[in-house]
Amino acid sequence: MVQRKDVFVIGHKNPDTDSICSAIAYANLKNKITKDRHFVPKRAGEISNETKYVLDFFGVESPDFIGHVGTQVRDINIKPTPSISKELSLKNAWITMRDMQEATMPVVRDDGKLEGIISVKDIATANMDIYETRILALSETKYSNILDTIDGTMIVGDPNATVPKQGKILIGAANPDLLENYVEEGDILITGNRFESQLCGVEMNAGCLVVCMGAPVSKTIQKLAKENNCAIISTPYDSYMTARLISQSTPLGYFMRKEKLITFSTEDFISDIRGMIAKIRHRDFPVLDRDGNYIGMLSRRSLLEMDNKKIIMVDHNEKSQAVDGIEEADILEIIDHHRLGTLETTMPVYFRNQPVGCTATIVYHMYLENQV
């Protein structure tokens, strides 16, 4: 079912009883004779005591106030880009963005609050700029991320545990005698099927052994590893591929942008943010609701396809009397009994102007004409 778009029926800024009642009555008439749109009466100012008395007497609610009819973020197409968790690995973040063809994705907490954003550029920069061998320790990477990234199997240890804080990534290419000089407590040692290298890693208190090419790990090594709190992971990849991939297990929370994020509210006016969007060459910007919860992404392209608010003016036809932002709205109709003003429209409109005592008289005649 296609959602009907709202059209606001509004009187002038200092509404009298005629302005308020005409807006209510004409919106009601339009809803009865028009099916593809929903007409909503609004007021551009405070109602008088007289008008309040009239509405109370007939049991009619006062229209809601609207102070500005400029196009807001909520009026344009907001992409429902799904969020991702900061615990997701760089590799899986890249796969997700590639498959969804998204250049930027939001990182959101379980309570709906925005934590940061990650872009393809951020991931590319991370892959090219990672020279820190302790990156997995610094980013508090979980073994489960490593297992997923290198298609590994946990032989010893807890997949949900975090790699030791002081460990570095090290390839055990040297013979055991030399290896003893390089392996430090908590290190992640990438090794092959050599029993001596595996034993050296365990005895030097490495935090984790990553055994490549699916090489078997003896029960002796497994037993010693458990006794020394050393995890063991088996991977089908060779040492080169393992070393190349393992840094991609880093959680994206370590690389996401979380400071000075540029976000917009659904209530922001496009006229206020257009300059910022043009100045900052991001492709997408997070959009938050009134409570600060993430709801989607605003793309630069959306500004080219935005849909201005639709307005029907009653009991006035001059810009000086109209609600603020009227120049940004699409005026569909004008129903009035005053002299002609200086208002200009961007396209032809239905304009009904009659020299009668009040606009409500014109609206009454339109009820009769439509047999409502």
Side-chain angles (χ1 to χ4, degrees), residues 104-141:
T104 305
M105 292 194 73
V107 182
V108 179
R109 297 198 314 241
D110 292 338
D111 61 1
K113 303 299 181 184
L114 182 73
E115 282 193 285
I117 59 174
I118 190 79
S119 67
V120 171
K121 179 181 177 182
D122 296 328
I123 294 176
T125 301
N127 279 326
M128 295 302 295
D129 287 353
I130 292 180
Y131 299 110
E132 172 58 71
T133 58
R134 301 179 189 273
I135 186 65
L136 299 185
L138 293 173
S139 60
E140 299 181 351
T141 302

Side-chain angles (χ1 to χ4, degrees), residues 63-288:
D64 291 332
F65 173 78
I66 186 168
H68 200 291
V69 292
T71 305
Q72 294 172 277
V73 171
R74 65 184 179 187
D75 297 322
I76 65 180
N77 182 36
I78 299 175
K79 293 198 307 180
T81 305
S83 62
I84 51 181
S85 168
K86 69 177 182 180
E87 304 298 331
L88 197 67
S89 67
L90 282 180
K91 178 185 176 183
N92 281 335
W94 158 249
I95 292 172
T96 300
M97 298 173 77
R98 180 198 65 192
D99 293 347
M100 298 185 63
Q101 298 183 336
E102 294 289 350
T104 305
M105 292 194 73
V107 182
V108 179
R109 297 198 314 241
D110 292 338
D111 61 1
K113 303 299 181 184
L114 182 73
E115 282 193 285
I117 59 174
I118 190 79
S119 67
V120 171
K121 179 181 177 182
D122 296 328
I123 294 176
T125 301
N127 279 326
M128 295 302 295
D129 287 353
I130 292 180
Y131 299 110
E132 172 58 71
T133 58
R134 301 179 189 273
I135 186 65
L136 299 185
L138 293 173
S139 60
E140 299 181 351
T141 302
K142 291 184 178 181
Y143 286 122
S144 56
N145 273 21
I146 298 176
L147 294 171
D148 185 56
T149 303
I150 63 174
D151 294 332
T153 302
M154 200 87 189
I155 296 177
V156 176
D158 179 9
N160 294 316
T162 303
V163 300
K165 292 185 178 181
Q166 72 274 25
K168 63 182 182 294
I169 302 170
L170 185 67
I171 298 178
N175 63 54
D177 293 336
L178 288 176
L179 203 57
E180 290 180 355
N181 299 320
Y182 295 105
V183 180
E184 297 176 331
E185 184 178 353
D187 284 353
I188 299 173
L189 179 64
I190 300 174
T191 184
N193 63 348
R194 295 180 65 180
F195 179 87
E196 297 85 355
S197 296
Q198 296 174 5
L199 180 61
C200 176
V202 173
E203 290 180 339
M204 297 305 294
N205 295 315
C208 177
L209 298 183
V210 180
V211 181
C212 300
M213 302 294 291
V217 180
S218 68
K219 292 183 179 180
T220 301
I221 294 294
Q222 293 184 40
K223 181 176 181 296
L224 290 172
K226 291 178 183 178
E227 293 173 353
N228 287 271
N229 293 320
C230 177
I232 299 179
I233 294 174
S234 173
T235 176
Y237 297 126
D238 59 25
S239 299
Y240 166 75
M241 187 61 68
T242 301
R244 180 172 175 266
L245 289 175
I246 198 167
S247 62
Q248 295 182 16
S249 60
T250 308
L252 64 86
Y254 186 76
F255 296 100
M256 70 181 183
R257 281 174 279 161
K258 47 185 178 250
E259 303 292 337
K260 298 181 180 179
L261 296 178
I262 299 174
T263 64
F264 298 118
S265 165
T266 53
E267 306 304 306
D268 286 339
F269 289 97
I270 299 301
S271 57
D272 294 335
I273 67 175
R274 190 190 298 274
M276 185 182 299
I277 292 177
K279 182 179 179 181
I280 300 170
R281 305 299 295 179
H282 292 176
R283 186 179 298 180
D284 300 298
F285 301 85
V287 178
L288 313 179

